[in-house]
């Protein structure tokens, strides 16, 4: 062995045998399975539990340990990640095992409303565990990808302590001590995602009614939705400043345009639920006197609620 290789060996051995924090993952849907896979790949010992035990089989084959019960899964490790459908599922699982919560750090990466997240955080901390909430912004295929990120919120100290371990999943983006903040950021993202995707399905329905395939409008769709970045950059600071000065984006012009869209959909015989809702909002903006303002003035209407 050369001197240089011999000198490098102890450091290499230390790096490869460094002890990673063991972690428990409860909930093995597509997301929980991807998380367990990422932890295993990073060299963590992983204890798992799932209501339907068969979902653990491929993970056990890769080295995860299946706990016999929720209590055993909680007892196995200080750090416990939950990946469940929602907070109702968390309560269904943890309430019968609540005596095993004290001293744990529960990281709930299940989606729900900010209010349910805050109530869940109170419930867990009242039982002696620390609680962090997370909103995962990537599909399971993005887990383990450092370019993806997850919003976290809750007390800073356990977040800082466990950040390195949690970043075996997507990168961690800490939002603050209020446990509801990660769910809020997640829902803000979902608001944009679902409505944008609905607009795409609506466009495809119209194309189909006119004999076009979705693929036929692909470049147009990419250009139209991809081009929204310019509107976003232009709008945000103006909206914060309450500046809705109209120019080529006047609400009156926009209202004529969305009415054309609605009539085009009706003529094509496709569903008009979405364009009708859009027209309703634009007309209410007109009735409120915003016709000469930018269509961003609709945000003032939305802030007030129906
Ligand atoms: P699933 O709904 O497919 O999986 C949910 C898990 O929760 C399963 O392990 C299921 O157990 C368990 N579960 C549900 N209800 C109960 C209950 N009452 N008691 C015990 N266990 C229960 O979700 P995903 O894995 O897709 O996602 C997990 C979380 O991540 C969700 O909150 C989701 O919104 C969020 N997320 C998901 C994304 C995705 O693309 N999938 C993207 C971003 C966030 P069982 O196997 O027995 O049914």
């Amino acid at each position: 062995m050369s001197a240089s290789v011999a000198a490098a060996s102890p450091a290499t051995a230390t790096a490869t045998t460094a002890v990673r924090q063991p972690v428990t993952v409860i909930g093995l849907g597509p997301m929980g399975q991807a998380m367990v896979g990422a932890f295993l790949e990073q060299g963590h010992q992983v204890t798992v539990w799932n209501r339907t035990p068969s979902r653990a089989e491929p993970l056990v084959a890769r080295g995860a340990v299946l706990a016999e019960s929720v209590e055993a899964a909680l007892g196995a490790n200080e750090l416990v990640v939950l990946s469940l459908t929602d907070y109702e599922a968390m309560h269904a699982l943890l309430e019968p095992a609540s005596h095993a919560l004290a001293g744990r750090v529960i990281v709930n990466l299940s989606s729900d409303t900010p209010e349910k997240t805050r109530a869940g955080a109170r419930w867990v901390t009242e039982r002696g565990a620390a609680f962090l909430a997370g909103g995962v912004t990537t599909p399971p295929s993005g887990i383990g990808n450092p370019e993806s990120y997850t919003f976290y919120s809750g007390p800073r100290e356990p977040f800082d302590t466990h950040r390195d371990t949690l970043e075996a999943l997507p990168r961690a983006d800490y939002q603050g001590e209020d446990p509801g903040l990660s769910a809020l950021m997640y829902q803000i993202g979902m608001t944009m995602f679902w409505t944008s995707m609905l607009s795409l399905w609506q466009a495809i329905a119209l194309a189909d009614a006119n004999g076009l395939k979705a693929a036929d409008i692909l470049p147009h769709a990419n250009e139209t939705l991809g081009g929204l970045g310019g509107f976003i950059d232009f709008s945000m600071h103006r909206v914060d400043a309450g500046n809705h000065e109209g120019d080529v984006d006047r609400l009156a012009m926009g209202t004529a345009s969305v009415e054309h869209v609605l009539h085009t959909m009706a003529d094509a015989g496709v569903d008009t639920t979405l364009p009708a809702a859009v027209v309703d909002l634009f007309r209410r903006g007109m009735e409120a006197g915003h016709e000469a303002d930018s269509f961003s003035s609709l945000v003032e209407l939305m802030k007030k609620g129906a």
Side-chain angles (χ1 to χ4, degrees), residues 191-259:
T191 301
M192 295 184 274
F193 175 77
W194 292 123
T195 50
S196 302
M197 291 308 288
L198 265 183
S199 75
L200 183 61
W201 309 150
Q202 184 80 50
I204 291 171
L206 176 62
D208 177 81
N210 288 276
L212 296 171
K213 296 279 179 209
D216 293 330
I217 63 165
L218 180 61
H220 191 24
N222 271 327
E223 196 156 320
T224 305
L225 291 177
L228 290 181
F231 275 98
I232 295 169
D233 291 338
F234 174 73
S235 300
M236 295 313 217
H237 295 297
R238 280 170 50 108
V239 167
D240 273 348
N243 177 1
H244 299 295
E245 193 184 331
D247 186 12
V248 292
D249 57 350
R250 280 174 305 113
L251 186 71
M253 182 280 294
T255 304
S257 173
V258 294
E259 283 178 350

Side-chain angles (χ1 to χ4, degrees), residues 28-31 50-52 55 83-85 89 110-111 136 138 140:
L28 301 176
M31 187 57 88
N50 195 52
R51 178 178 61 179
T52 308
R55 286 183 122 171
S83 178
L84 301 164
T85 305
S110 318
S111 314
V136 183
T138 177

Side-chain angles (χ1 to χ4, degrees), residues 26-35 49-56 70 82-94 108-112 134-141 143 186-187 190:
I26 296 179
L28 301 176
M31 187 57 88
Q33 296 206 15
M35 289 175 174
W49 188 90
N50 195 52
R51 178 178 61 179
T52 308
S54 59
R55 286 183 122 171
V70 177
L82 307 181
S83 178
L84 301 164
T85 305
D86 51 23
Y87 272 67
E88 201 178 315
M90 179 191 87
H91 287 287
L93 281 183
L94 296 189
N108 194 346
L109 300 182
S110 318
S111 314
D112 215 317
V136 183
T137 66
T138 177
S141 57
I143 298 295
Y186 177 83
Q187 297 305 346
M190 287 297 101

